[in-house]
Amino acid sequence: MRFIPAREVEELAGSHPDEPGRLTPNWLEGPHFADRLDLGLVTVTPGGAAGPHVHLGGQVIIAISGRGFVETDGERVQLAPGDVVSCPPGELHTHGAVADSHFSHLTVTTGGYTFPEPDPGGPAPTP
């Protein structure tokens, strides 16, 4: 067991990188990229987002602070503190901060993740 006090969660959620458009995971458990749980507190600067990706075992996102989004199949859902999203295994999605707000969330996954093959005529995906 690992206990993470609320003050540590608050400190991590409030420590956003200085670079604009940046997503930074702070791993609380893992990453193992296996059958074990990976638990991270992700901080995102305004406008930052993960490139489209798939979690092999699915992903749970729990919004902690700021405002963010999750998008899949062209549907974007806005997130605020306390919102929870469950992405099933294999669902292509992206998530990040809206343009005018920092965003922090917990992420719980198993099995790792993959980025789709880049479109030969388009830009390469970015994490």
Side-chain angles (χ1 to χ4, degrees), residues 61 68-72 75-77 79 85 87 93-96:
I61 295 171
F69 69 89
V70 174
E71 184 173 326
T72 185
E75 179 184 355
R76 181 176 278 213
V77 177
L79 302 176
V85 176
C87 297
H93 67 281
T94 185
H95 49 87

Side-chain angles (χ1 to χ4, degrees), residues 47-60:
H53 61 283
V54 170
H55 291 273
L56 304 179
Q59 179 180 31
V60 174

Side-chain angles (χ1 to χ4, degrees), residues 34-118:
D35 289 341
R36 295 179 59 185
L37 285 178
D38 291 329
L39 172 63
L41 196 152
V42 179
T43 57
V44 191
T45 55
H53 61 283
V54 170
H55 291 273
L56 304 179
Q59 179 180 31
V60 174
I61 295 171
I62 304 162
I64 300 294
S65 66
R67 294 187 351 269
F69 69 89
V70 174
E71 184 173 326
T72 185
D73 290 330
E75 179 184 355
R76 181 176 278 213
V77 177
Q78 298 287 322
L79 302 176
D83 289 339
V84 177
V85 176
S86 177
C87 297
E91 179 178 70
L92 182 66
H93 67 281
T94 185
H95 49 87
V98 297
D100 63 350
S101 177
H102 285 88
F103 181 57
S104 296
H105 67 83
L106 289 171
T107 178
V108 182
T109 64
T110 59
Y113 57 88
T114 61
F115 289 90
E117 292 295 319

